[in-house]
Amino acid sequence: MRELKVVIADDHPVVVLGLREMIQRDEYFSLVGEALSSSQLVEQLQLHQPELLITDFNMPGDETYGDGLQLIEYIIEHFPGVKILVLTVMSNHLIISRLLELGVAGVIAKSHIREEIGKALSALANDRDYTAPAAPAISVVTNPKVIDERFSTLSPREVEVLRLFVAGNSVGDIARQLNRSVKTVSTQKVAAMQKLEVLNDHALLTYCIKADPFE
């Protein structure tokens, strides 16, 4: 079996290091490129034409390529020969379903990357897609009064950003829709997370879905 060329993309050095070590130990894969942003990622794909891409879902984007679903859709359209394994901190079933509909080879929760990446690489080396086990739901505050109090502290712009985020839009998508800069939207999202006392995107999505504050 010939080696499959691999490009990895993530803006977290620790994740990149772990992926690099895993791939370099696997005789079926050859690491040919790494990227820390969507622009770098597209450059690496153009340069190396790999068979496999392992990428974070939320990459630092730009106006050309964006991140999230926009970036994945661009890659599928312009690099149809590459298999895509998506890493994500989110468990939003709408987003995961959309990724699979687009044709990605698999989706892995970052919280399970150590346990699942080896299984995914094995499946892909044998020309099979990879189906990861469902991630357990993260518990959220269930007291309606506490939830209402927390959401009442959000500004209208923060609520608007959260509504679009929970609907499956990336920060880049939201910035374009609201005609704001990516930095502004990211700041508003982080501020909302701090007010709601959630630590990551997965918890934020779970919290908002359970609370259903946008009805």
Side-chain angles (χ1 to χ4, degrees), residues 83-144:
K83 291 187 175 183
I84 305 172
L85 183 63
V86 179
L87 310 178
T88 178
V89 297
M90 300 183 295
S91 64
N92 186 316
H93 294 300
L94 292 175
I95 293 176
I96 293 174
S97 295
R98 178 57 180 158
L99 287 170
L100 296 175
E101 287 173 0
L102 288 171
V104 304
V107 181
I108 294 180
K110 281 193 169 182
S111 58
H112 295 96
I113 192 170
R114 287 185 177 274
E115 304 95 319
E116 303 302 326
I117 190 66
K119 301 174 186 176
L121 290 175
S122 177
L124 295 170
N126 288 282
D127 200 29
R128 300 194 312 270
D129 289 344
Y130 175 71
T131 303
I138 292 179
S139 62
V140 297
V141 174
T142 56
N143 186 323

Side-chain angles (χ1 to χ4, degrees), residues 28-45:
Y28 297 116
F29 298 95
S30 173
L31 181 61
V32 295
E34 300 178 4
L36 301 175
S37 69
S38 58
S39 292
Q40 290 181 10
L41 169 54
V42 173
E43 290 175 0
Q44 291 297 309
L45 294 176

Side-chain angles (χ1 to χ4, degrees), residues 165 169 173:
F165 179 71
N169 295 279
D173 294 333

Side-chain angles (χ1 to χ4, degrees), residues 172-186:
D173 294 333
I174 297 169
R176 282 182 290 277
Q177 292 182 48
L178 300 180
N179 196 27
R180 301 174 195 168
S181 70
V182 171
K183 182 177 180 180
T184 296
V185 170
S186 179

